[in-house]
Amino acid sequence: MAACSARPTIRRCGLCPGARAGQAGLWENLLTRFVRLREQATRLKSETWQAIDAEIKEHPAPKDSDSKALSRLILGKWESPRHDYLYRADGTWTMLPADPDTTHGTWRIDGNQYSDTAATDPPQTSQYTIILISRRDFVFADQEDVFYEVRIK
């Protein structure tokens, strides 16, 4: 995934990560707006969600993102459209509600790369590029799809 494309929506604003020092907060705010637009498009059953996903994928978090800071942000309970998850500080995750038979595994963040391994036989590891991790949103993508999780309070 490219660090930034020549697409005009964000690039022209100069808000891409690394464009200028001190603009990371502006970049996060703009991506958060895209996430809220995506939620609205989904609620309204509008086909615009696909265009929003395509745009969001063009603007991943910087490759040299602070892995420790992002790892701290991911800790806690998150809700996706299909399941809820708990990410723990020891690098493990569990699908909620947690019980002995619940899907679980390990997770890791390295720069802007998020990977998780499901404790299955054989183990299944997935690799993603982080778009945004904030107090409210966790957005990440693989080669085809964008995934959205919202923190559970």
Side-chain angles (χ1 to χ4, degrees):
M1 208 174 295
C4 186
S5 71
R7 297 177 72 122
T9 52
I10 297 176
R11 179 78 168 167
R12 194 173 291 157
C13 295
L15 299 180
C16 292
R20 289 194 299 262
Q23 292 189 331
L26 294 174
W27 171 77
E28 182 178 320
N29 288 340
L30 190 58
L31 279 173
T32 299
R33 287 184 181 193
F34 274 108
V35 172
R36 298 290 85 80
L37 285 172
R38 185 4 167 114
E39 290 172 349
Q40 181 180 22
T42 302
R43 253 190 329 274
L44 297 174
K45 297 184 170 121
S46 167
E47 296 298 319
T48 59
W49 68 266
Q50 295 165 327
I52 295 167
D53 278 4
E55 185 63 35
I56 284 175
K57 280 181 78 169
E58 293 295 321
H59 305 284
K63 288 183 179 184
D64 63 350
S65 292
D66 183 342
S67 303
K68 288 182 181 180
L70 294 181
S71 294
R72 282 190 300 273
L73 280 171
I74 199 177
L75 300 179
K77 295 179 182 178
W78 295 84
E79 169 182 53
S80 80
R82 294 183 61 202
H83 301 287
D84 294 348
Y85 298 93
L86 171 62
Y87 296 93
R88 295 181 193 87
D90 66 0
T92 62
W93 62 267
T94 302
M95 190 183 299
L96 298 174
D99 62 47
D101 297 325
T102 301
T103 304
H104 63 282
T106 59
W107 63 270
R108 176 177 165 76
I109 293 177
D110 186 21
N112 72 348
Q113 297 298 298
Y114 161 72
S115 61
D116 64 33
T117 301
T120 56
D121 188 23
Q124 296 178 335
T125 299
S126 300
Q127 184 77 28
Y128 305 95
T129 299
I130 297 168
I131 307 296
L132 174 68
I133 300 179
S134 67
R135 288 189 173 109
R136 180 178 178 186
D137 299 296
F138 179 26
V139 182
F140 51 101
D142 62 14
Q143 295 300 317
E144 296 177 22
D145 299 307
V146 180
F147 303 92
Y148 296 87
E149 295 184 10
V150 177
R151 187 175 302 279
I152 300 172
K153 296 183 181 190

